[in-house]
Amino acid sequence: MNNPLLLALALAFALPFFSSLLSLSHPLDPLTPNEINQIQHIIQNSNLGSLPNLTFHFVDIAEPDKSDVIRWLDSKSQPKPTKIKPPARQAKAVVRAGGKTYELVLDLATNSIVSNHVYTGHGYPPLSFMELFQASKLPLKYSKFIDSIVSRGLNISEVSCIPMTAGWYGETVTTRILRVNCFYRGGSVNVFARPIEGINLLVDVDTMRITSYSDRFRAPLPKSEGTDFRSKKFAENSIITYNISGPGFKIDGHNVRWANWEFHLSFDARAGVTISTASVLDPVTKNFRMVLYRGHVSETFVPYMDPTTEWYYRTFMDIGEFGFGRSADTLQPAIDCPASALFLDGYVAGGDGKAQKMANVICVFERYSGDVGMRHTEINVPGRVIRSGEPEISLVVRMVATVGNYDYILDWEFKQSGSIKVGVDLTGILEMKATEQIYSDGKTGNTYGTLVTENAVAVNHDHFLTYYLDLDVDGNRNSFVKAKLQTARVPPSANPPSPRRSYWTVVKETAKTESQGRVRVGAEPAELLVVNPNKRTRLGNQIGYRLITGQPVSSLLSDYDYPQIRAGYTKYQVWVTAYNKSERWAGGFYADRSRGEDGLSIWAWKNRAIENRDIVVWYTVGLHHNPCQEDFPIMSTIHDGFELRPANFFERNPMFKQD
Ligand SMILES: *[C@@H]1O[C@H](CO)[C@@H](O)[C@H](O)[C@H]1NC(C)=O
Ligand SMILES: *[C@@H]1O[C@H](CO)[C@@H](O)[C@H](O)[C@H]1NC(C)=O
Ligand SMILES: *[C@@H]1O[C@H](CO)[C@@H](O)[C@H](O)[C@H]1NC(C)=O
Ligand SMILES: *[C@@H]1O[C@H](CO)[C@@H](O)[C@H](O)[C@H]1NC(C)=O
Ligand SMILES: [Cu+2]
């Protein structure tokens, strides 16, 4: 490394890691590469190491108890920080060995396994990248498949195969399988645009063998002309400039400070970016007050709407089946984030358990997009026109998950107004099906999707991204309130009489139990609030944060359809549950081939009390996608998201300062 700039960059990127070894560590810090390798070493040297085919599917910190984390944080924020021992550093690992799934908890200080037991329930842990890669290569050496390719007049060297998860369709015994679909490049880089239709190929993952093959029919191969998705304007070698530390924010270890916000930023293979202990500065007391204890994407559900043999099973749960962190892509400066952003690395365990660096998977930057933060013009002061305002400047934390054909841009945006805005942008390539059809009659179209080019139908589907939002609004005892806006009538007998006949007023309902915490957004006008019933503003209003939802989208599948049973929580956009450290993955931890026996909708059946308790809000960003021609050859971003906005949390607008 003889380029001084590169050396400076390398040092700067290494800094957060080194500094986390010092006093800046936080109990929720992600595993360091050394810790990941230590875990691999402990497990490899245990009795599991002597079993055949040891593979690592999940490695993460074992989350310390919230009370310990809060106690540790509080001790740090004292004027004279008291020395308290941080919670023990433990890790959780899920491995497969000898055809079984093992759940382990490890203690890193003592280099030991605390617990180890075999998981015997339904469903499997996330597939490792190695397994997906190996499965994708199997067809290319499989003689029946080669025959199918040759008999179609195609060249096997131009075929790319992509493994897809298989779901669950009522089988009483399941094994770990992948369905592999193949595509023809033939000079194009848009793999998904040229599906080789009609072939069904099943791979048994544990033995890594093709166990079932059929070639049912042929459909014309969609043409390669016009499928290239690479933009000419932003070539791969566009100017790259780095700014090591942005002007307004500071990162110590994994702790981020910016304007009136302070939060912890981490990255793991399953959730990707995780925001923890996000607190906002109270301009009156000068104390940081907690808003969000922990937030991340918990599960995704992407069911395709084509029930035919080659397509019915495409009902993906990407977080549980692959992992969003695992799918995180290296961000391109000046395209994915401003060139001046700070780019951060993440570390995950590979299938062999060893630490793998994922370079530049998070970016952090200050955003000034030309928007207005607040303004006013006053013309009623005699003889004067008074104009005032401030631009909107916010801090954005971003990652991009590329899961097969789709790219999800996931933003956490912190605002000086006290809002946290979560943004989801979808882009990428559509999943297409080859067809005889070359012309859409415009009326009926195609039952399962839209003809986007000759011989290619982009199949209808949904995207559901369910967020885990452990809000702790100014303390961890909170309630969920539906502030319903109801029409009130003015009685003719009103005294004094009013010419008005009606107005609306707010009727607040506090959810007592989990069954009252489910909401179909839009069914009635209501503001959704998480309040701290134990605290009030100086004026006596209940302290809270409002959930401003995006598009109200819920699943249209029938309740007893298998994929819907697995993702039952997608019938409501909002759920509120009692906090339980082990309830984090909305579709269940073992999502691959799951049967819907674990997960959000099941936990909520307990109907626990949620009033004045530690509660978790789950919000699903949803999009029904009936594709159109503009989504081809690459779809421009479509945006949705939600906002957590203070509602009587502050004494007044926290952005407003008169110094
Ligand atoms: C271990 O893997 C090999 C090859 O991948 C496979 O043939 C064998 O059945 C596997 N053994 C077990 C116990 O899963
Ligand atoms: C098949 O494709 C490979 C690589 O693209 C090329 O080198 C080879 O000449 C092709 N073979 C035929 C028969 O077209
Ligand atoms: C980096 O940040 C500094 C200070 O804010 C600014 O002056 C400079 O233009 C930035 N450089 C780039 C390349 O964005
Ligand atoms: C926490 O959740 C897990 C998984 O749902 C459950 O097994 C456990 O009993 C729960 N603990 C409490 C205290 O409710
Ligand atoms: Cu889509």
Side-chain angles (χ1 to χ4, degrees):
M1 205 181 281
N2 51 12
N3 180 331
L5 178 64
L6 280 180
L7 186 63
L9 283 175
L11 284 174
F13 287 132
L15 262 180
F17 168 63
F18 286 121
S19 54
S20 72
L21 295 176
L22 307 174
S23 62
L24 299 162
S25 66
H26 184 293
L28 297 173
D29 279 352
L31 293 168
T32 64
N34 286 342
E35 287 174 327
I36 294 171
N37 289 331
Q38 183 189 356
I39 292 160
Q40 191 272 346
H41 199 249
I42 299 171
I43 295 176
Q44 186 69 54
N45 289 318
S46 74
N47 61 330
L48 292 174
S50 56
L51 296 178
N53 306 353
L54 172 64
T55 49
F56 290 72
H57 296 266
F58 178 89
V59 177
D60 196 1
I61 61 163
E63 202 177 313
D65 282 341
K66 197 179 201 174
S67 52
D68 292 338
V69 176
I70 298 291
R71 197 166 337 112
W72 182 89
L73 275 180
D74 286 349
S75 76
K76 294 272 151 195
S77 66
Q78 299 307 318
K80 274 191 187 162
T82 42
K83 277 238 183 316
I84 78 156
K85 234 178 97 180
R89 190 90 170 137
Q90 297 199 327
K92 190 182 167 191
V94 176
V95 302
R96 299 247 327 149
K100 288 187 176 136
T101 301
Y102 294 83
E103 297 178 329
L104 299 109
V105 174
L106 303 101
D107 187 276
L108 299 177
T110 58
N111 217 26
S112 60
I113 294 176
V114 176
S115 71
N116 172 5
H117 72 269
V118 176
Y119 172 73
T120 53
H122 295 129
Y124 298 101
L127 292 134
S128 74
F129 179 77
M130 204 54 197
E131 289 168 337
L132 297 168
F133 180 77
Q134 286 170 349
S136 74
K137 298 294 174 204
L138 289 179
L140 307 177
K141 298 228 160 73
Y142 187 69
S143 64
K144 286 183 192 165
F145 178 75
I146 295 169
D147 291 349
S148 294
I149 295 303
V150 170
S151 70
R152 280 170 171 77
L154 303 175
N155 178 344
I156 192 78
S157 324
E158 290 291 319
V159 173
S160 286
C161 296
I162 296 170
M164 298 187 183
T165 46
W168 173 68
Y169 291 88
E171 300 92 330
T172 48
V173 176
T174 58
T175 51
R176 296 180 71 226
I177 56 168
L178 284 166
R179 293 187 176 271
V180 182
N181 285 288
C182 300
F183 301 81
Y184 200 64
R185 298 188 306 276
S188 176
V189 294
N190 193 337
V191 172
F192 287 95
R194 308 191 78 198
I196 302 168
E197 213 59 53
I199 294 172
N200 286 283
L201 198 158
L202 214 72
V203 169
D204 180 281
V205 179
D206 281 338
T207 56
M208 212 31 93
R209 269 201 286 268
I210 293 170
T211 51
S212 162
Y213 185 83
S214 70
D215 186 354
R216 290 204 319 133
F217 64 90
R218 283 171 199 196
L221 187 68
K223 63 182 170 122
S224 71
E225 288 74 35
T227 61
D228 196 331
F229 58 80
R230 288 170 296 184
S231 169
K232 295 282 177 290
K233 206 159 53 183
F234 284 90
E236 280 152 17
N237 58 0
S238 67
I239 303 154
I240 295 174
T241 45
Y242 290 94
N243 235 354
I244 295 310
S245 70
F249 61 91
K250 205 171 150 227
I251 303 188
D252 290 329
H254 295 271
N255 305 301
V256 183
R257 276 290 295 270
W258 172 81
N260 50 346
W261 282 100
E262 189 173 86
F263 60 92
H264 181 266
L265 169 59
S266 68
F267 179 89
D268 73 68
R270 184 151 177 153
V273 162
T274 302
I275 302 292
S276 304
T277 59
S279 304
V280 64
L281 185 72
D282 187 305
V284 178
T285 64
K286 310 287 180 209
N287 288 328
F288 279 93
R289 294 162 66 196
M290 184 80 79
V291 177
L292 183 72
Y293 179 74
R294 221 146 151 71
H296 58 78
V297 193
S298 170
E299 188 53 275
T300 61
F301 179 47
V302 185
Y304 281 77
M305 299 299 148
D306 181 337
T308 61
T309 306
E310 286 72 25
W311 278 76
Y312 75 91
Y313 54 84
R314 303 188 197 202
T315 55
F316 307 107
M317 294 170 80
D318 295 324
I319 299 243
E321 293 169 343
F322 309 114
F324 253 20
R326 162 62 67 203
S327 311
D329 198 7
T330 293
L331 299 166
Q332 313 161 84
I335 297 175
D336 294 326
C337 313
S340 62
L342 177 68
F343 291 82
L344 301 168
D345 302 331
Y347 292 90
V348 299
D352 61 2
K354 301 221 171 89
Q356 288 177 358
K357 174 167 156 175
M358 300 187 71
N360 297 0
V361 284
I362 301 176
C363 71
V364 184
F365 60 93
E366 259 188 319
R367 172 190 280 162
Y368 168 55
S369 60
D371 286 345
V372 177
M374 56 187 182
R375 85 172 308 288
H376 181 61
T377 300
E378 186 52 70
I379 57 166
N380 294 301
V381 178
R384 297 169 65 186
V385 175
I386 300 169
R387 256 188 215 103
S388 167
E390 272 186 34
E392 178 85 282
I393 299 172
S394 57
L395 186 77
V396 178
V397 175
R398 175 173 294 165
M399 70 167 276
V400 173
T402 301
V403 195
N405 54 316
Y406 262 103
D407 301 66
Y408 296 92
I409 299 157
L410 307 164
D411 282 2
W412 288 87
E413 179 179 7
F414 295 84
K415 294 187 173 219
Q416 297 174 64
S417 63
S419 275
I420 302 176
K421 270 181 95 169
V422 172
V424 176
D425 284 274
L426 268 75
T427 174
I429 314 290
L430 295 165
E431 216 165 287
M432 287 169 265
K433 177 179 187 170
T435 169
E436 296 287 345
Q437 210 179 353
I438 50 163
Y439 185 74
S440 171
D441 71 8
K443 285 198 289 270
T444 52
N446 185 294
T447 314
Y448 305 129
T450 305
L451 193 68
V452 290
T453 183
E454 290 83 353
N455 303 115
V457 164
V459 175
N460 296 333
H461 58 277
D462 299 315
H463 302 265
F464 297 104
L465 286 88
T466 301
Y467 279 80
Y468 173 89
L469 302 166
D470 180 3
L471 287 150
D472 279 7
V473 177
D474 214 6
N476 69 9
R477 281 151 68 95
N478 289 173
S479 295
F480 179 59
V481 172
K482 280 176 257 185
K484 298 185 173 175
L485 313 188
Q486 292 183 349
T487 303
R489 308 279 163 202
V490 182
S493 58
N495 185 17
S498 168
R500 281 281 295 274
R501 292 285 169 263
S502 65
Y503 60 100
W504 63 254
T505 189
V506 178
V507 179
K508 291 187 178 177
E509 271 177 25
T510 301
K512 307 260 181 256
T513 62
E514 288 170 328
S515 66
Q516 295 170 0
R518 296 185 307 214
V519 183
R520 283 209 174 99
V521 174
E524 55 184 341
E527 290 194 352
L528 306 176
L529 297 152
V530 173
V531 302
N532 186 325
N534 313 298
K535 290 191 178 164
R536 287 175 184 271
T537 60
R538 198 167 50 80
L539 300 179
N541 289 310
Q542 207 151 56
I543 278 171
Y545 254 77
R546 207 181 134 195
L547 168 66
I548 303 179
T549 59
Q551 293 293 324
V553 173
S554 62
S555 174
L556 299 174
L557 296 178
S558 71
D559 287 342
Y560 45 86
D561 196 358
Y562 289 108
Q564 188 58 44
I565 292 169
R566 300 174 64 218
Y569 57 92
T570 52
K571 286 284 172 178
Y572 296 85
Q573 292 91 41
V574 178
W575 297 73
V576 180
T577 58
Y579 174 79
N580 174 331
K581 197 173 72 171
S582 59
E583 295 176 351
R584 266 178 73 195
W585 310 108
F589 183 84
Y590 294 97
D592 180 38
R593 312 220 65 200
S594 64
R595 303 184 183 190
E597 292 158 326
D598 182 21
L600 181 49
S601 52
I602 303 298
W603 308 326
W605 271 114
K606 298 182 206 163
N607 205 20
R608 292 165 290 195
I610 55 171
E611 189 179 7
N612 199 13
R613 302 286 167 111
D614 192 357
I615 56 176
V616 175
V617 176
W618 307 76
Y619 177 70
T620 297
V621 174
L623 183 89
H624 297 304
H625 194 175
N626 170 215
C628 56
Q629 280 185 249
E630 289 83 355
D631 297 343
F632 180 87
I634 175 173
M635 173 183 161
S636 47
T637 52
I638 188 163
H639 179 84
D640 199 17
F642 61 93
E643 178 172 347
L644 300 168
R645 185 180 169 98
N648 300 316
F649 184 88
F650 296 105
E651 294 295 339
R652 61 170 172 171
N653 184 351
M655 243 183 114
F656 181 73
K657 289 181 204 77
Q658 268 183 323
D659 339 302

